[in-house]
């Protein structure tokens, strides 16, 4: 019975994070998109420092999972790609940051409760 009520360890919580979102480049993309209604490809590339190919690959993975929407259009004769979070994506990034915050708080709590080891 005790096992059912056991608080997950920080490692277990880390292991449970969504790996698709937690990957640093995709976390940066999702976080940037959570702060605006949409962002164009060039802005995201400058923000993340990713190459065109890498950014395109990450955007494709997020789109396939339904976390972002991609709109390709022209501004005059210039192609323009816009990315935005879907409702599912907005919920996912919010939950991800909440999980990270909870993990940080739990790790701090454990650090205060366990005896300190001096090296």
């Amino acid at each position: 019975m005790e096992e059912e009520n056991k608080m997950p360890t920080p490692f277990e919580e880390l292991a449970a994070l969504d790996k698709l979102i937690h990957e640093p480049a995709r976390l940066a993309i999702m976080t940037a998109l959570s702060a605006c209604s949409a962002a164009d490809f060039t802005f995201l590339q400058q923000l993340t420092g990713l190459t065109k190919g890498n950014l395109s690959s990450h955007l494709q993975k997020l789109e396939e999972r339904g976390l972002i929407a991609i709109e390709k259009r022209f501004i005059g004769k210039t192609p323009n790609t816009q990315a935005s979070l879907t409702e599912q994506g907005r919920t996912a990034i919010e939950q991800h940051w909440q999980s990270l915050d909870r993990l940080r708080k739990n790790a701090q709590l454990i650090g205060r409760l366990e005896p300190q080891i001096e090296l």
Side-chain angles (χ1 to χ4, degrees), residues 62-63 65-70 84-92:
L62 292 168
E63 183 182 35
R65 177 86 169 270
L67 300 175
I68 67 169
I70 301 290
S84 60
L85 288 180
T86 61
E87 280 303 315
Q88 179 184 346
R90 198 162 292 283
T91 300

Side-chain angles (χ1 to χ4, degrees), residues 8-87:
T9 67
F11 180 77
E12 290 169 331
E13 288 183 85
L14 261 177
L17 290 173
D18 186 331
K19 305 300 183 275
L20 182 78
I21 295 173
H22 194 66
E23 192 283 327
R26 291 190 289 267
L27 183 58
I29 293 165
M30 294 286 289
T31 300
L33 292 175
S34 72
C36 57
S37 59
D40 73 8
F41 189 91
T42 303
F43 173 78
L44 290 172
Q45 187 181 12
Q46 290 171 348
L47 181 72
T48 61
L50 295 170
T51 64
K52 289 179 181 180
N54 279 338
L55 178 56
S56 184
S57 175
H58 288 300
L59 291 175
Q60 181 181 4
K61 288 176 183 177
L62 292 168
E63 183 182 35
E64 287 170 357
R65 177 86 169 270
L67 300 175
I68 67 169
I70 301 290
E71 178 189 349
K72 295 185 181 216
R73 60 190 184 161
F74 283 87
I75 297 177
K77 294 184 178 186
T78 306
N80 179 269
T81 301
Q82 292 269 320
S84 60
L85 288 180
T86 61
E87 280 303 315

